[in-house]
Every structure is written in C-alpha cells, then in structure tokens.
Amino acid sequence: MGSGAAGSSAAGSGLDFGRRVVVVRGASVSLRFGVRTAVVCGVLGLAALAVGVLALGTGEFEVPVGEVVRVLLGGEPGPARLVIVEWRLPRVLLSLLIGMALGLSGAVFQSLTRNPLGSPDVIGFNTGAYTGVLVTMMFVGRDYYQTAAGALAGGLLAAAVVYLLAYRMGVQGFRLIIVGIAVSAILGAANQWFVIKVNLQTAVAAAIWGQGSLNTLTWDQVLPVAVSVALPTALLVALGPRLSLLTMGDDAAAALGVGTERSRLAYLVLGVALTAVATAAAGPISFVALAVPQLARLLTRTAGIALAPSAVTGALLLATSDWLAQRAFAPTQLPVGIVTVSLGGLYFAWLLARHARGR
C-alpha cells in the first residue's frame, strides 16, 4: 500500500479542489481525503474518547482517570471494575454508537436534499420510527428486539410514504422536506392518540422513551446496536462517492455514470435504517442529526457534507450531552433528549445570528 500527497489537486468528486489531499492506494481500492478533514476527525475522535473516560469516572462513585484507564486495560479488579465495566461502559459505548448513527443519518439526508433542514427529525422519519414503536408496544410487546423491529418498520414506512408523495419525475430536496414535515405532523398526532389509548403503564413507558434516553441501556443492547450501525455504515462506504456526486445535481451525477434514483433510494433506506437503530435503542433524540453535519462542515471547511466528520462529531456531541444529562442535576438523571433539544435551541439561535450578520 502506498500513499502520496498533492497540493492544489482535485479529488475524484471535485470537492477537494484547491485543498491538500492524501491519496491511499491498495490493490483494488483508492481513497482520497483532505488533510484537514483527517486531522479534524482525529481530534474529534480523541475528544470523544476523553469524554467517554470522563463519563466512566464520574458519578456517585468517583474513579480517578488513571484508575479508569487501568480498569479498561484489564487491571484493577474490585468495586471500580464493577462500576466502570458493568454499569457505565455500556452506556458510554452506546452514546458513541448512537451518536455516530445519527450523525451519518443527518449527513445522508442533508446531502440528498441539499438543505441544512433535511434531517430525519425534521422530515419525519424519527416520528415514523416512534409510531412503529408505539404500535409494537400496544399490540406485540416491549422486548428490545420487538421494539427495534417496530422502529425500523415505522421509519421505513414513513420514508416510503414521504418518498412517494414527494416523487414528481424525480425527488427534489425542498419538496421532500415539505412533504416530510406534513407527514411528521400527522404521525405526531397519531402518536399522541396512541399514548392516550394505551394502558397507564405502557403510556408512562412510551412517554419516557419518547424523550430520548440512555438511562436504562445495558450490555444487552451493545452488540445489536453495534452490528446494526456497522452494516449500514459498511454499505455507505461501499457506495463510494455517489452521495457527493448526487449533491452536484441529477444531470451532473447521471453524466458521471450514477443511477440517480436508484442511488438516492439506496441512501434513503440506509439513512432510515441508521435513524431507526438509534430510535429503537434510545428513543427519538432530536437535533443531533440536524446540527452535526453542519458543525462538521464548519470544522473541516469542506465544500460539501462529509460522512466521516459527521459520524465522529455525532459521537462526540451525544456522549457529551449524555454526560451533561447525568451530571447537570445529579443525582437526578435527565433524558439525553432534553439536553440535545436545549443545545439545538442554542444552535438555532447561533445560526440565525450568523445569517443576520450576513456571514
């Protein structure tokens, strides 16, 4: 495997023009990425790991950072290992995995719609997944795998309805967003009706779950979530640069050999699957998929939205939000969705102020 660097050279998609890039070539694979993007991803990844270590060591049972590291490396048997490995580590791992899933999902939909509002929680796929979970709770049960299947089915069904209603000789991003908002409003009303009609125990569980929370997650969810996030991620990598080509417009993408509708549908399914995985595990966590791709784009200064920076930024944002949810009003633990909504409000205020200054 060899590597090379070139200044002021264009990447295959044309998005790295005028930027320093690194090319890594293997027997059958050639990868090209910006140096700044790689550095930012590395820094954000280290920051996410640091937040994870901080979360593992803080709580009612405080553990020094050095001891946390020794426990993770296999040492320090005793109470510290029980607290860190059995109780806290699953939650930290899941916050990173779910944050990655939401970041990737937001990047996919904002690229497809070419609009910063094109995220699954705005278009309605989060709401559809929530509807699927509520229906599953009402008529099937509340087992994790049943809930996950309901979230996936609800998200895919909502996506299919939005896609069909928005299709007019192709799908335009703005039309997809408008139709998605309308479908989301209808599903939101249906969700409220479901909560009113179910028994009290199920209604309380659904209401708590609907806030988006990592409070009850254990090792039982880690492997299913990891596999469910890894599979769509691998397929996104396998699709190559088609997403960035689609952002150039259907005519340009078709001229470069991309089957636009087939590729768009594949990305739609993968984005919904990532959203459904996150929703099934932790409930509908808002604003992460909306804000993360734009924040990652600002940090990397790329011309378009990139998947890897969005995934790492999502992991960092959700892990940090979950730590704040645990510690802000300790010993009371808040649902992480409350923190992400609060941060989302600050994000919108900053975005409006930035646009008001004409920047």
Side-chain angles (χ1 to χ4, degrees):
M1 181 178 291
S3 65
S8 300
S9 64
S13 65
L15 296 180
D16 288 323
F17 183 78
R19 298 171 58 85
R20 185 171 180 81
V21 298
V22 172
V23 181
V24 180
R25 294 186 178 91
S28 58
V29 178
S30 178
L31 300 176
R32 185 189 298 261
F33 53 89
V35 172
R36 181 185 176 90
T37 299
V39 171
V40 169
C41 287
V43 171
L44 292 175
L46 290 175
L49 292 177
V51 171
V53 171
L54 176 65
L56 291 174
T58 55
E60 293 185 16
F61 184 82
E62 297 284 342
V63 183
V65 172
E67 190 172 346
V68 170
V69 174
R70 287 193 294 272
V71 167
L72 294 177
L73 293 177
E76 297 290 342
R81 184 171 185 83
L82 174 66
V83 171
I84 292 172
V85 175
E86 297 299 328
W87 297 350
R88 294 178 182 170
L89 186 56
R91 179 170 182 158
V92 170
L93 291 176
L94 286 165
S95 69
L96 295 172
L97 287 169
I98 293 170
M100 286 178 57
L102 292 173
L104 285 170
S105 179
V108 166
F109 287 116
Q110 290 187 21
S111 296
L112 288 179
T113 59
R114 287 175 282 177
N115 193 309
L117 292 178
S119 74
D121 40 354
V122 173
I123 298 177
F125 303 150
N126 266 6
T127 312
Y130 187 21
T131 304
V133 169
L134 288 174
V135 172
T136 302
M137 284 183 175
M138 287 177 64
F139 300 108
V140 181
R142 292 190 292 176
D143 177 76
Y144 172 76
Y145 292 100
Q146 295 170 338
T147 302
L152 180 60
L156 288 174
L157 185 58
V161 171
V162 171
Y163 187 86
L164 291 174
L165 292 177
Y167 189 88
R168 294 290 185 278
M169 302 298 291
V171 175
Q172 299 299 320
F174 182 74
R175 187 162 58 234
L176 189 71
I177 293 172
I178 295 300
V179 172
I181 291 173
V183 171
S184 179
I186 295 171
L187 290 175
N191 291 346
Q192 292 296 322
W193 184 83
F194 286 142
V195 171
I196 292 172
K197 289 296 182 181
V198 297
N199 61 64
L200 181 60
Q201 184 180 6
T202 303
V204 170
I208 294 173
W209 183 88
Q211 295 297 316
S213 176
L214 304 176
N215 292 346
T216 61
L217 300 184
T218 65
W219 277 111
D220 292 338
Q221 287 82 41
V222 173
L223 182 59
V225 171
V227 172
S228 300
V229 172
L231 288 177
T233 302
L235 291 174
L236 286 176
V237 173
L239 287 173
R242 297 181 190 179
L243 187 61
S244 60
L245 296 178
L246 286 173
T247 63
M248 300 167 62
D250 286 1
D251 292 339
L256 293 170
V258 176
T260 55
E261 287 305 319
R262 183 173 57 189
S263 297
R264 186 179 289 112
L265 186 59
Y267 280 115
L268 183 69
V269 171
L270 293 176
V272 171
L274 288 165
T275 300
V277 169
T279 305
I285 300 174
S286 300
F287 284 106
V288 175
L290 178 66
V292 157
Q294 298 302 317
L295 293 175
R297 182 179 179 182
L298 287 174
L299 292 172
T300 57
R301 298 180 185 174
T302 54
I305 293 172
L307 294 178
S310 297
V312 181
T313 306
L316 173 59
L317 180 61
L318 190 60
T320 304
S321 298
D322 189 50
W323 180 77
L324 290 173
Q326 295 179 69
R327 305 310 308 156
F329 297 97
T332 301
Q333 294 190 7
L334 299 176
V336 68
I338 293 177
V339 177
T340 59
V341 167
S342 301
L343 294 177
L346 295 174
Y347 166 75
F348 272 122
W350 169 81
L351 194 63
L352 290 172
R354 186 169 180 265
H355 281 284
R357 292 195 303 266
R359 296 175 63 184

